[in-house]
Amino acid sequence: MITWQAGKIVEKKEWCEDLYSIKIETETLPFKAGQFANIGIEIDDGIINRPYSLVNTPDEPLLEVHFNTVKEGRFSPLLTTQDIGSPISVATRAGGMLTLDQVPESRTELLFCATGTGIGPFLSLLHTTAIWQRFDKIIVCYATKTAAEMAYRVELNVLELKYPTQFQFIPFITREVSEGAIHSRFTTALASGELETFANAPLNVNSSHLMLCGSSAMIDEMTTLLEQKGLSRHSRQQPGHIAIEKYF
């Protein structure tokens, strides 16, 4: 049973058609960087809701979520119509496995793989100090269909300038050619061996940890390919190398 706290939208950004970020003012929500929260909208017969990863860090005053409009969906088209000042409900508990405390202590290289709005939890993690104190190498592989859909690209470029020896951002744009991006899926690059070459970081069962967030198809394909390389799914009961968050 979800319990709710009241909030309101105080900022809204449209990155391109059907792609948005909103910031929500609400009571303090305890969560860990990388987790998600259920966001709800009240309708005649109750509250409809959907989980969204939080883009902000736990010490920031506003909650931020990044989402796209799924036209056949029930919730996201309604969320799209909400504007600054609109009431919004936020679940009082957050959840999710994409947190630093779930990464085994022996890991020194962290690889994030995100499709579309799946970049959200990784931005939350990247804006904490703990991640930079812990890992020798952090790599972000971020795939979108078009350059316009690659939200937060500027933020990732800034991080690459700030941490030039520790951080690498590898953008993949699949349906158009864009300067500075790879015109391919990162699943294709992983299968061919090119991904490890791009990152200059061969996957290693002793040092590598991966977090995958986005479409189910990407996560399933990446997991299969990584398991073929000797890596395993991570769980609280059985530490492994691959942590996932599926969006659809």
Side-chain angles (χ1 to χ4, degrees):
M1 182 75 175
I2 298 176
T3 57
W4 299 98
Q5 60 190 42
K8 68 176 180 179
I9 297 173
V10 294
E11 291 184 34
K12 182 178 181 180
K13 179 171 183 174
E14 183 175 6
W15 296 93
C16 60
E17 185 178 2
D18 293 330
L19 186 66
Y20 300 87
S21 295
I22 58 171
K23 292 187 179 182
I24 300 167
E25 184 180 77
T26 187
E27 298 175 35
T28 300
L29 176 70
F31 75 96
K32 299 173 184 176
Q35 289 191 309
F36 63 83
N38 281 75
I39 304 299
I41 298 173
E42 190 168 352
I43 58 174
D44 292 340
D45 57 351
I47 293 178
I48 60 171
N49 66 92
R50 188 184 188 284
Y52 288 102
S53 292
L54 297 168
V55 177
N56 59 293
T57 61
D59 58 355
E60 291 179 285
L62 300 177
L63 303 182
E64 182 174 356
V65 298
H66 179 46
F67 69 97
N68 63 308
T69 309
V70 180
K71 290 188 169 26
E72 65 275 15
R74 187 184 183 202
F75 184 77
S76 63
L78 184 57
L79 183 58
T80 298
T81 66
Q82 308 303 297
D83 215 332
I84 293 173
S86 296
I88 201 90
S89 297
V90 180
T92 57
R93 292 184 63 182
M97 291 278 290
L98 302 184
T99 58
L100 291 188
D101 61 355
Q102 285 296 314
V103 182
E105 288 295 331
S106 61
R107 309 290 192 258
T108 57
E109 296 175 350
L110 188 58
L111 176 61
F112 295 140
C113 295
T115 52
T117 57
I119 193 65
F122 303 148
L123 291 165
S124 179
L125 287 161
L126 289 166
H127 286 299
T128 65
T129 56
I131 195 170
W132 304 103
Q133 295 170 347
R134 179 169 172 187
F135 297 96
D136 297 333
K137 180 86 171 178
I138 303 167
I139 302 159
V140 171
C141 296
Y142 180 15
T144 59
K145 296 173 185 175
T146 66
E149 293 173 305
M150 189 161 280
Y152 303 98
R153 185 174 184 174
V154 171
E155 286 189 28
L156 293 165
N157 286 329
V158 168
L159 286 172
E160 198 167 35
L161 292 173
K162 186 176 181 179
Y163 302 99
T165 61
Q166 192 176 5
F167 180 64
Q168 187 174 5
F169 168 43
I170 311 175
F172 291 79
I173 295 176
T174 60
R175 295 194 181 177
E176 64 183 27
V177 177
S178 177
E179 185 177 357
I182 296 167
H183 181 50
S184 169
R185 299 183 305 151
F186 50 68
T187 50
T188 303
L190 178 62
S192 69
E194 290 179 304
L195 181 58
E196 291 165 273
T197 301
F198 295 149
N200 192 29
L203 294 172
N204 186 297
V205 295
N206 296 314
S207 60
S208 301
H209 194 83
L210 295 96
M211 294 187 182
L212 315 179
C213 188
S215 72
S216 294
M218 177 276 288
I219 289 172
D220 291 344
E221 186 175 351
M222 284 291 288
T223 300
T224 297
L225 291 168
L226 292 167
E227 287 175 341
Q228 291 171 357
K229 293 178 177 290
L231 285 77
S232 61
R233 280 280 300 273
H234 176 80
S235 70
R236 289 186 175 92
Q237 295 74 31
Q238 185 64 45
H241 311 86
I242 312 161
I244 69 170
E245 199 80 82
K246 290 187 178 183
Y247 274 177
F248 54 87

